[in-house]
Amino acid sequence: MRAFSRFRPCTITNLVAPLKGARAPSRVLCRPARTLPQQEKGNRRMLALASGVVLSGSTWAVSVNLDDLKSIPAKYKTIGGIMAVNLAIFALFQSKNPRTLAFMMRHFTCSTESMRSRPWTLLTSCFAQATPAHLFVNMLSAGCLASMVGDEVTPSQLLALYAGAGLAGSGLSLAHKVAVRNGLATLGASGCIMGLLGAVAVVHPSLLVAIPL
């Protein structure tokens, strides 16, 4: 027994019925049982290994995503930013909070009343849309037209064109309201889209555009 002192003896009496005429062994040599500290140490090693694999995979995924973002043309980043702003403002308009909705109506709609104290609504109203269909049609139109102009201008020029056309459209709309004494508030990117359409006509004068009826 001294030669096998590193093994822990395990009693198997009453576990199995001994054969007839055979003497049931009272002890058997077994592998040493792991102590609790050893088990915890093993669990920690496995957890550390799993965490390392997850972190390595996450780092690789982030690096791939960053590389993909860097390869996107600048014009699409600008267009995506414009769409994201419009979508965020539209989401805020859907708020059930009366204070939030009142704030959006006050600062993102243009009217003769708003121009007396909030002239910035000439621009902010161009990034607000009334309904989901309004948002979809305007963003689809703006995206298509901006992509056709984006190769001929820089991203800052494209953004300036979008915002400048929106300001011009809001100004004309406001002038019409004053002329007909209409105090209703308006919003939308129609002026921006008309400006982009005019830019497409200048950049691609021979381009044929099909308008489905």
Side-chain angles (χ1 to χ4, degrees):
M1 291 299 293
R2 290 182 180 179
F4 302 98
S5 59
R6 64 181 180 275
F7 292 93
R8 182 175 65 86
C10 301
T11 302
I12 60 172
T13 305
N14 299 328
L15 293 180
V16 293
L19 296 175
K20 184 177 181 180
R23 185 178 178 181
S26 59
R27 294 177 181 274
V28 67
L29 299 179
C30 304
R31 291 183 178 180
R34 284 190 175 184
T35 61
L36 185 59
Q38 289 177 332
Q39 292 179 350
E40 291 180 353
K41 187 179 296 185
N43 292 338
R44 289 176 182 176
R45 289 177 180 176
M46 292 299 296
L47 181 59
L49 178 61
S51 300
V53 172
V54 172
L55 290 176
S56 300
S58 301
T59 303
W60 177 81
V62 170
S63 62
V64 170
N65 290 336
L66 291 177
D67 292 338
D68 292 343
L69 289 176
K70 292 178 181 178
S71 64
I72 297 175
K75 68 174 182 179
Y76 293 121
K77 293 180 182 178
T78 305
I79 296 170
I82 292 173
M83 291 183 175
V85 171
N86 279 268
L87 182 60
I89 293 175
F90 178 78
L92 289 173
F93 263 106
Q94 310 311 307
S95 173
K96 303 299 183 180
N97 189 330
R99 292 185 178 180
T100 302
L101 186 57
F103 176 87
M104 299 303 295
M105 290 295 296
R106 181 176 175 82
H107 295 282
F108 288 88
T109 59
C110 182
S111 65
T112 53
E113 185 274 332
S114 68
M115 289 307 301
R116 297 172 186 172
S117 58
R118 304 182 302 280
W120 55 84
T121 55
L122 275 174
L123 178 62
T124 56
S125 62
C126 300
F127 292 89
Q129 317 300 323
T131 64
H134 190 204
L135 175 68
F136 175 77
V137 172
N138 278 353
M139 292 301 98
L140 178 63
S141 303
C144 292
L145 295 172
S147 63
M148 298 169 68
V149 181
D151 292 330
E152 308 297 332
V153 298
T154 64
S156 58
Q157 290 173 336
L158 180 60
L159 184 59
L161 171 63
Y162 185 90
L167 284 171
S170 296
L172 290 175
S173 175
L174 186 63
H176 178 264
K177 292 175 186 177
V178 173
V180 299
R181 297 182 180 181
N182 183 352
L184 293 178
T186 57
L187 72 169
S190 298
C192 305
I193 294 171
M194 293 298 104
L196 291 173
L197 182 60
V200 170
V202 172
V203 174
H204 305 286
S206 302
L207 181 66
L208 297 178
V209 179
I211 302 179
L213 299 178

